[in-house]
Amino acid sequence: MSKHRSIATVALAAILSLFSSALAAEEFTEAFKADHGDARVARVVYLGNARTQRSVLEDLTGIKEGMPISEIDPDKVSQSILKAGIFSETGLSVEIDETGDAIMTVKVKEKWTFIPVPSGSYGSGGWSAGIALVEYNFLGLRKSAVFTGKWSNLGPSVMIAYMDPTLFRTKAGLSTYVSYANSSAEASFMAGSTYASFKYESAKGGLALAYPLAAGLKGQAIAGALYRRSKDDAESYGFQAEDCVFTPGFELDYDTQRVSSYHKSGPTANFAYKHGFSFLDLPSYDGAKLDAEILLDTFCDGIADLGLTCQWGTQAF
């Protein structure tokens, strides 16, 4: 009987300890930093990350044991967590223990990150049906994986894509994709009085390596490849039966948007340039594109979206 009382006493003490700690914890703000700037982080507790690995939050917050709390910017930490796209809410609290050290608590609320997206269309141009499977917290590591499959009157197509915003836990990001389409494009030609229509099959792939250059500015080296061939007798009409193109280029992304629980607000811009090295006696080409957007908070939590798109090229971008 005494053993049971002992176990109950220990359990009650643990619960009271947790309860008293919860009462002692305060919201981590700039004012709190000013009052306890000499305190150092003794421990970091993450709550709410049921599917997300702890290492992801460690990278997003940048909070490490032993660092002074004066080096932690609460707004910057919150924005970093929300901009990751896998959390809808976050909060930071801190408790100063009896030794004068700080116990940081980072609480998050996860979004649902696996999304199946069916699609379909029917019209005078034909029909199509497909599905996209999107997971943007793959294995709980904040990676994105996408699979799409589609069938139409012109034939099947598939695509697989993978995005890693923190390659090997560095600031570099990787995006890559491969796709195959069988008869998914149809081109028509008029040569004199002769009309011909050709269907194509194609294989495409590409990758992008991104790295932050400054606050809000990111640079990307991009490269893509396309191979396409006609499934019909295009050469007998004097048209190219095969296309093979390699397209290196670069992109600049500017993003200073802020994220709330409801929406983003602020400016973004993207500039991209590509040069197409064509093979099989086809001409090379250049293309450039600029997109700019600003989202403005308006009355009653509404939002106004202003944007601009410009394109230039010797071939469609």
Side-chain angles (χ1 to χ4, degrees):
M1 188 73 175
S2 60
K3 182 178 179 182
H4 288 242
R5 280 204 205 96
S6 175
I7 294 173
T9 302
V10 170
L12 180 61
I15 292 170
L16 290 174
S17 175
L18 288 173
F19 183 69
S20 62
S21 295
L23 289 177
E26 297 182 42
E27 183 182 0
F28 184 58
T29 62
E30 292 293 338
F32 187 95
K33 282 170 56 176
D35 294 337
H36 304 87
D38 295 334
R40 291 183 175 271
V41 178
R43 184 159 55 96
V44 186
V45 179
Y46 295 101
L47 301 176
N49 55 316
R51 299 188 304 273
T52 306
Q53 299 289 335
R54 178 187 172 97
S55 60
V56 171
L57 281 165
E58 290 175 342
D59 291 340
L60 290 172
T61 63
I63 301 174
K64 296 180 173 58
E65 293 182 4
M67 71 186 302
I69 65 172
S70 59
E71 295 182 2
I72 303 171
D73 184 333
D75 182 66
K76 186 176 180 181
V77 170
S78 296
Q79 285 297 304
S80 177
I81 292 172
L82 292 174
K83 282 189 173 183
I86 57 178
F87 305 107
S88 59
E89 297 177 16
T90 185
L92 279 75
S93 60
V94 62
E95 175 192 352
I96 303 300
D97 64 17
E98 63 276 2
T99 66
D101 290 332
I103 300 173
M104 300 289 302
T105 300
V106 181
K107 188 175 182 179
V108 295
K109 182 177 180 180
E110 293 177 316
K111 293 180 178 180
W112 184 255
T113 58
F114 177 72
I115 304 176
V117 184
S119 64
S121 66
Y122 179 80
S124 58
W127 60 269
S128 69
I131 190 168
L133 304 177
V134 183
E135 170 56 70
Y136 55 98
N137 192 13
F138 186 58
L139 301 179
L141 293 171
R142 197 191 154 204
K143 322 297 183 187
S144 297
V146 181
F147 171 81
T148 64
K150 182 178 177 181
W151 191 278
S152 75
N153 58 297
L154 296 173
S157 63
V158 294
M159 185 196 73
I160 299 174
Y162 176 77
M163 287 144 278
D164 185 349
T166 54
L167 186 63
F168 303 121
R169 296 190 71 175
T170 67
K171 294 181 179 180
L174 169 71
S175 302
T176 184
Y177 81 96
V178 292
S179 68
Y180 171 78
N182 184 9
S183 300
S184 65
E186 186 172 14
S188 300
F189 305 96
M190 177 67 74
S193 60
T194 304
Y195 173 82
S197 180
F198 308 114
K199 294 181 179 180
Y200 290 89
E201 63 179 350
S202 63
K204 294 190 292 185
L207 62 86
L209 286 172
Y211 196 83
L213 303 175
L217 182 65
K218 179 175 66 176
Q220 292 193 87
I222 56 179
L226 162 68
Y227 174 75
R228 186 177 71 165
R229 69 176 183 179
S230 168
K231 298 185 69 178
D232 300 297
D233 190 15
E235 288 182 311
S236 64
Y237 292 89
F239 298 106
Q240 193 78 26
E242 291 182 294
D243 297 341
C244 187
V245 182
F246 174 61
T247 54
F250 70 90
E251 288 191 27
L252 292 174
D253 287 294
Y254 175 73
D255 184 355
T256 58
Q257 288 186 334
R258 290 182 57 82
V259 182
S260 70
S261 298
Y262 301 100
H263 52 64
K264 296 180 179 180
S265 62
T268 61
N270 170 267
F271 174 78
Y273 168 80
K274 292 181 181 179
H275 179 77
F277 291 97
S278 296
F279 302 97
L280 303 175
D281 298 323
L282 293 171
S284 297
Y285 65 90
D286 295 276
K289 183 178 181 181
L290 171 66
D291 289 302
E293 180 185 53
I294 182 168
L295 299 175
L296 301 172
D297 287 317
T298 55
F299 183 67
C300 292
D301 201 34
I303 198 161
D305 185 359
L306 305 175
L308 171 70
T309 297
C310 301
Q311 296 188 56
W312 169 86
T314 54
Q315 183 170 314
F317 189 74

